Amino acid sequence: MYRRPLNTLPAPGFVGALLPALACGQTVQYFTIDPTPPGAPLEKTIGYYTSTTLPSVAIGSNSGDGGPGGMYLHTSSGDLSGPWTQSVIDPSGDFYERAVPLAHAGDTYPGIVASRSGQLVSYWNPLNWGGDPTQPWPMEVINPNAGCHDIKVVDVDGDGKPDIVCSATYYGPWQSLIAYQNSYDSWQIRTNPFRDSNGNGIGDSVALASINGSARTNVVGATPTGVYWFKNPGRNRSGTWAAHLVGTAGNKNDFGETSIGTVPYGGTSDAIIVASNEEPT
């Protein structure tokens, strides 16, 4: 299902995902994208992959959970009511957790960053060079040694190119990482940059925050000792991400049970929202 309040811009969504706020009595419409999606869909993302005005949805499946594997694109030939058509981005591979749009300089349509078969990969959207997006997309391996649980795309070091910030993940196990972009097909990987004073890395959630009016490129994550914000060292890719304690709610074990979100607040900084062990704190 895809759902959004009437008279608002479309919000990211997938079958059964997204519950818009109904406190003000907003009317909600429901749109079925695919009544029989690929089995065990584990990765999902929404973006303007084939249109600058109408979103489309990508779903990654995992054969280990009984699905077919592969990543699939769902596009509408009309509006959000469809009809929706499924095509193949990648016919094989096991996909886990998050996927996000990624646009390089000059791209009209974003590609996709995803975790595929234990690797962090990027799919280039063929529509940017006149290709057919309903045919399999070219793939680039960004990190051959690890995938991600949570993914954020942001220009970390201020060089004008989008970088990728990843949280750790239990099914690996893999540590957090930053993929710094050198060029569209070249990346520098830094592993486990976000650590508390005891050397603990963050768990399976990561968020971005502005602190005291700074750019929204500082990182927020949880370790077993608490929730921290980590100060961005800027241009120094090997610099220390200094840890600052936000609160004592943290991961209950070594792979993380804390979810974190941030939202601009007051015009000068971000509010940090934490759910620890599936319970709000």
Side-chain angles (χ1 to χ4, degrees):
M1 306 292 292
Y2 179 97
R3 57 181 70 180
R4 66 178 175 91
L6 291 177
N7 302 319
T8 67
L9 293 176
F14 172 59
V15 179
L18 290 195
L19 297 174
L22 300 179
C24 298
Q26 294 174 311
T27 301
V28 177
Q29 281 185 299
Y30 298 83
F31 301 98
T32 299
I33 293 174
D34 187 348
T36 56
L42 293 177
E43 288 191 17
K44 50 272 182 189
T45 180
I46 188 167
Y48 293 91
Y49 298 118
T50 61
S51 166
T52 58
T53 58
L54 181 66
S56 47
V57 174
I59 308 169
S61 182
N62 190 307
S63 63
D65 286 336
M71 178 167 279
Y72 305 87
L73 180 68
H74 292 75
T75 56
S76 173
S77 59
D79 54 21
L80 292 177
S81 62
W84 290 83
T85 302
Q86 178 182 290
S87 58
V88 176
I89 293 175
D90 186 341
S92 62
D94 291 323
F95 291 83
Y96 173 75
E97 289 299 342
R98 307 291 191 272
V100 297
L102 171 65
H104 297 285
D107 285 352
T108 301
Y109 305 97
I112 296 173
V113 174
S115 294
R116 176 190 188 274
S117 300
Q119 297 180 327
L120 180 64
V121 303
S122 174
Y123 292 95
W124 298 338
N125 190 331
L127 196 56
N128 286 307
W129 59 86
D132 183 355
T134 67
Q135 298 299 308
W137 295 14
M139 185 189 76
E140 170 199 6
V141 176
I142 296 175
N143 184 5
N145 301 314
C148 307
H149 183 100
D150 203 358
I151 303 175
K152 298 290 184 291
V153 174
V154 64
D155 181 5
V156 174
D157 57 359
D159 64 354
K161 295 185 285 292
D163 307 305
I164 302 169
V165 178
C166 290
S167 72
T169 179
Y170 174 56
Y171 293 104
W174 301 312
Q175 297 175 321
S176 64
L177 64 90
I178 303 173
Y180 288 102
Q181 185 178 169
N182 300 317
S183 64
Y184 73 95
D185 61 351
S186 174
W187 302 82
Q188 177 184 338
I189 306 298
R190 181 173 177 191
T191 302
N192 201 19
F194 316 116
R195 286 178 279 188
D196 62 22
S197 59
N198 295 320
N200 299 302
I202 64 172
D204 60 10
S205 182
V206 67
L208 303 172
S210 169
I211 307 296
N212 293 331
S214 65
R216 204 162 188 262
T217 58
N218 300 286
V219 167
V220 183
T223 79
T225 63
V227 175
Y228 293 82
W229 74 269
F230 300 88
K231 186 176 181 180
N232 187 341
R235 293 273 182 175
N236 184 4
R237 292 184 174 184
S238 61
T240 299
W241 287 74
H244 303 270
L245 182 66
V246 175
T248 55
N251 296 322
K252 300 298 188 294
N253 50 47
D254 61 357
F255 60 85
E257 294 178 348
T258 299
S259 296
I260 298 173
T262 58
V263 63
Y265 178 77
T268 59
S269 59
D270 280 20
I272 298 173
I273 304 168
V274 180
S276 185
N277 198 27
E278 306 302 328
E279 297 178 3
T281 60

